[in-house]
Amino acid sequence: MSHGSHSSATNMGASTCKMEMLWNWNIVDSCFISSSWHIKSNAMFAASCVGAALLVVCLEFLRRVGHEYDAHLLRQFQRQLRRQQAALANATPANCCDGVPNVGLQYATFRASGLQQLIRAVIHAITLGLAYLVMLLVMYYNGYIFISIMLGAILGKFLCDWMVVRLPYGGEGEKDERRTSVGATGPSGCCA
């Protein structure tokens, strides 16, 4: 098939994608990521804008899932450490600390298991893949898609990353918080 016949087939009814590497406001005949994502109507473009925004919301959600899973693993380790400390404290005689110097602050090290690390890696890979898709959408320099991505980022941050911080305050609360933190008394549980 010659190049001339291909261009005449294109002119007979099939429209081509408008792809510009400069800022644009194109709607109909825009293409994003692949030729199958060819915008042929205003409604299709509106759905693409909503889809781009939801893609960013999903990205923020996956970031949150990753952080929550990491926090879950740490809480699980802290509970296990506290149980070990309590068991050691119950097994040790009451006068265990007589003549034993306080060793100060000690640390317990947590290392994720193979399955936990695999889950963390999968969450990270999906998050990275979505981030690259969003980046590719931005690189089409379409103003409407860019605005949709920004609105999706605002909505995603608002819905999925609500800031909640637990801060100790007061005299007794600080002492209690120090005791319940990981590694504050060490794995022996003695001489807190």
Side-chain angles (χ1 to χ4, degrees):
M1 180 186 256
S2 71
H3 183 66
S5 64
H6 176 60
S7 62
S8 64
T10 304
N11 293 335
M12 291 169 65
S15 58
T16 60
C17 293
K18 290 182 194 174
M19 295 181 63
E20 295 184 32
M21 295 306 290
L22 298 172
W23 190 261
N24 66 79
W25 298 94
N26 297 335
I27 296 175
V28 176
D29 284 335
S30 295
C31 288
F32 300 102
I33 299 180
S34 74
S35 60
S36 61
W37 191 349
H38 185 169
I39 308 299
K40 297 179 181 173
S41 68
N42 288 342
M44 196 175 190
F45 189 78
S48 294
C49 288
V50 170
L54 290 178
L55 192 66
V56 181
V57 171
C58 289
L59 177 63
E60 290 296 328
F61 175 74
L62 278 172
R63 285 182 180 157
R64 180 60 183 250
V65 166
H67 291 301
E68 289 295 323
Y69 185 67
D70 288 348
H72 166 73
L73 293 177
L74 288 176
R75 284 191 306 269
Q76 191 177 31
F77 177 69
Q78 287 174 333
R79 285 191 299 269
Q80 179 184 359
L81 189 62
R82 283 191 206 111
R83 282 193 299 270
Q84 289 175 351
Q85 288 175 339
L88 222 94
N90 292 336
T92 312
N95 60 356
C96 79
C97 296
D98 295 341
V100 177
N102 189 352
V103 292
L105 186 62
Q106 296 178 355
Y107 294 93
T109 302
F110 170 72
R111 183 175 173 92
S113 70
L115 178 62
Q116 292 168 337
Q117 189 65 10
L118 178 64
I119 292 169
R120 293 180 73 238
V122 168
I123 292 169
H124 175 73
I126 294 170
T127 303
L128 188 66
L130 280 178
Y132 278 130
L133 284 175
V134 170
M135 179 198 66
L136 287 173
L137 285 173
V138 169
M139 289 177 63
Y140 282 92
Y141 300 103
N142 187 292
Y144 297 113
I145 294 293
F146 182 79
I147 290 169
S148 298
I149 288 171
M150 292 298 108
L151 292 174
I154 291 168
L155 185 62
K157 185 73 170 179
F158 182 80
L159 295 175
C160 302
D161 195 13
W162 203 281
M163 187 173 182
V164 176
V165 180
R166 182 177 174 206
L167 299 173
Y169 66 94
E172 288 298 313
E174 289 177 20
K175 197 183 298 180
D176 292 340
E177 187 68 29
R178 188 183 69 78
R179 282 191 190 137
T180 59
S181 66
V182 177
T185 60
S188 69
C190 189
C191 304

